[in-house]
């Protein structure tokens, strides 16, 4: 299965003019019924028995949500895909592209290659939503010195051109291995898929929005050691806007959109008990074990920095309402 990754478009929910917004607009009321009855793509996505598609996160019922047509700079990659149709889960609010799921592997891979080749040509100072690499490196350094994470074995899964790995090495003398199935950059030592093992820390930046099936998510979590942590950088809000112009739909390789509820479900399914959110790094650390210990560790770092740099709680930190 080909995946897209690291588009550099992860940011807070945004209003026109660049203003931040803590809560995306509420979606219109959805009538929960068979996908096959209400949209052509949904009919194609149903199985031979005619059963309704279920959410890859929680197994709940899904319904057609809205459609989007791509034009502008990314329209050239979508000339044979006139419309992208999205469905929403009635239980956890997870939203996914039915159209992308229906693409064959070659077309999906070609879309990824074309898009990322295009992004590679954009100067860094013209990328408005690049991942906060410096803040992510600082988060890893603080978490390691504060014993929140064990930095003895760390992996950046779908780590792109290894920017975070190099920063962590330069700033904190820590090793962050990189697995990246598509791109290569000189000076980065990449792991092949067959070399992957279990890690105390698995970092995953801007890939959770590129998945086509549940296995794509489980493949990442399966690399986490039984007492390790999973770190996720993506956009998560209370709900996904029912709006084709929503900024996070702009990259044509974004296919999956998470909510506070869907992430809480994933945490529970994977056995994580608590989480830490670093707003400046826009990343969540998912942890197992003693919740009170994690809360104390995060508080110790905040007191050291004289600011609430980390937010910790039992379950998923639903920071964006």
């Amino acid at each position: 299965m080909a995946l897209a990754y690291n588009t550099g478009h992860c940011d807070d929910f945004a209003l026109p003019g660049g203003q931040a917004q803590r809560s995306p607009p509420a979606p219109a009321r959805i009538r929960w019924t068979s996908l096959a009855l209400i949209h052509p793509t949904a009919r194609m996505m149903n199985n031979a028995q005619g059963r309704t598609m279920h959410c890859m996160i929680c197994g709940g019922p899904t319904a057609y949500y809205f459609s989007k047509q791509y034009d502008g700079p990314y329209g050239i990659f979508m000339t044979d895909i006139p419309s992208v149709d999205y469905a929403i889960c009635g239980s956890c609010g997870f939203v996914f592209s039915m159209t992308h799921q229906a693409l064959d592997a070659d077309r999906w891979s070609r879309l990824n290659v074309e898009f990322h080749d295009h992004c590679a040509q954009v100067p860094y100072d013209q990328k408005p939503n690049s991942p906060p690499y410096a803040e992510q490196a600082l988060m890893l350094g603080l978490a390691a010195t504060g014993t929140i994470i064990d930095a003895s074995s760390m992996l950046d899964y779908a780590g792109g051109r290894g920017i975070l790995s190099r920063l962590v090495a330069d700033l904190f003398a820590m090793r962050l291995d990189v697995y990246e199935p598509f791109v290569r950059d000189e000076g980065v030592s990449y792991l092949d898929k067959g070399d992957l093992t279990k890690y105390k820390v698995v970092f995953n930046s801007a890939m959770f929005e590129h998945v086509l099936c549940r296995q794509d998510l489980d493949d990442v979590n399966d690399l986490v050691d039984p007492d390790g942590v999973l770190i996720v950088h993506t956009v998560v809000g209370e709900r996904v806007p029912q709006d084709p112009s929503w900024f996070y739909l702009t990259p044509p390789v974004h296919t999956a959109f998470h909510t506070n509820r869907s992430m809480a479900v994933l945490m529970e399914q994977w056995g994580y008990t608590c989480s830490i959110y670093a707003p400046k790094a826009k990343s969540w650390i998912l942890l197992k074990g003693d919740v009170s210990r994690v809360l104390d560790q995060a508080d110790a770092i905040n007191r050291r920095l004289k600011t609430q740099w980390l937010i910790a709680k039992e379950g998923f930190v639903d920071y964006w309402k």
Side-chain angles (χ1 to χ4, degrees):
M1 178 63 66
L3 290 176
Y5 52 87
N6 276 349
T7 64
H9 287 270
C10 194
D11 203 349
D12 303 337
F13 296 104
L15 292 169
Q19 294 176 299
Q21 178 179 318
R22 288 297 297 270
S23 177
R29 185 176 180 84
I30 303 297
R31 180 182 179 186
W32 301 105
T33 184
S34 170
L35 282 168
L37 297 177
I38 55 180
H39 205 271
T41 302
R43 287 198 295 271
M44 177 175 58
M45 293 299 297
N46 281 310
N47 63 24
Q49 287 73 37
R51 291 194 295 266
T52 301
M53 256 188 104
H54 292 285
C55 174
M56 74 170 73
I57 305 298
C58 71
T62 60
Y64 170 74
Y65 199 29
F66 64 89
S67 298
K68 176 181 177 64
Q69 290 76 44
Y70 277 88
D71 51 20
Y74 299 137
I76 189 172
F77 309 134
M78 305 289 283
T79 54
D80 59 334
I81 307 174
S83 179
V84 177
D85 306 318
Y86 300 89
I88 185 172
C89 174
S91 296
C92 70
F94 176 73
V95 171
F96 61 95
S97 165
M98 298 181 287
T99 302
H100 284 82
Q101 289 188 5
L103 295 178
D104 62 53
D106 288 342
R107 181 64 184 92
W108 171 235
S109 180
R110 179 161 58 88
L111 177 59
N112 291 325
V113 171
E114 292 174 344
F115 177 76
H116 290 293
D117 283 350
H118 168 81
C119 290
Q121 304 305 313
V122 179
Y124 76 91
D125 57 350
Q126 296 179 26
K127 295 180 180 180
N129 298 308
S130 293
Y133 294 117
E135 291 82 358
Q136 290 171 347
L138 178 58
M139 176 191 67
L140 289 174
L142 289 171
T145 57
T147 67
I148 291 174
I149 65 172
D150 178 351
S152 62
S153 64
M154 300 196 297
L155 173 71
D156 189 357
Y157 187 96
R161 302 188 182 278
I163 297 174
L164 180 60
S165 176
R166 283 183 278 198
L167 271 178
V168 168
D170 292 344
L171 298 177
F172 300 103
M174 297 192 306
R175 176 174 173 174
L176 178 62
D177 290 333
V178 181
Y179 169 68
E180 171 51 61
F182 298 113
V183 302
R184 289 290 188 269
D185 198 272
E186 292 184 6
V188 178
S189 179
Y190 291 96
L191 295 178
D192 294 327
K193 189 170 185 179
D195 297 326
L196 297 177
T197 181
K198 297 285 186 179
Y199 299 86
K200 296 296 185 182
V201 177
V202 175
F203 192 98
N204 183 255
S205 181
M207 195 210 82
F208 266 44
E209 61 270 33
H210 300 276
V211 300
L212 297 179
C213 64
R214 175 56 186 260
Q215 190 61 51
D216 295 336
L217 296 171
D218 290 337
D219 285 346
V220 180
N221 184 63
D222 287 346
L223 297 173
V224 181
D225 192 81
D227 62 350
V229 306
L230 175 63
I231 303 179
V232 177
H233 164 62
T234 188
V235 164
V236 182
E238 192 66 16
R239 61 187 67 87
V240 176
Q242 192 178 24
D243 179 5
S245 65
W246 183 44
F247 85 106
Y248 216 49
L249 293 167
T250 302
V253 290
H254 280 191
T255 63
F257 308 93
H258 302 266
T259 66
N260 291 324
R261 174 59 184 155
S262 70
M263 289 299 295
V265 170
L266 274 178
M267 275 192 65
E268 182 177 356
Q269 292 172 346
W270 287 339
Y272 297 101
T273 57
C274 55
S275 62
I276 296 173
Y277 182 62
K280 293 185 182 299
K282 300 177 182 176
S283 302
W284 283 265
I285 307 175
L286 311 185
L287 307 101
K288 303 172 183 176
D290 187 351
V291 176
S292 61
R293 177 175 173 270
V294 171
L295 298 179
D296 290 343
Q297 290 169 322
D299 183 61
I301 290 176
N302 289 336
R303 284 188 280 107
R304 181 181 176 188
L305 297 177
K306 307 300 182 185
T307 186
Q308 192 176 28
W309 214 84
L310 301 174
I311 300 169
K313 64 171 285 189
E314 183 174 2
F316 184 74
V317 178
D318 50 348
Y319 183 81
W320 298 102
K321 300 290 190 179

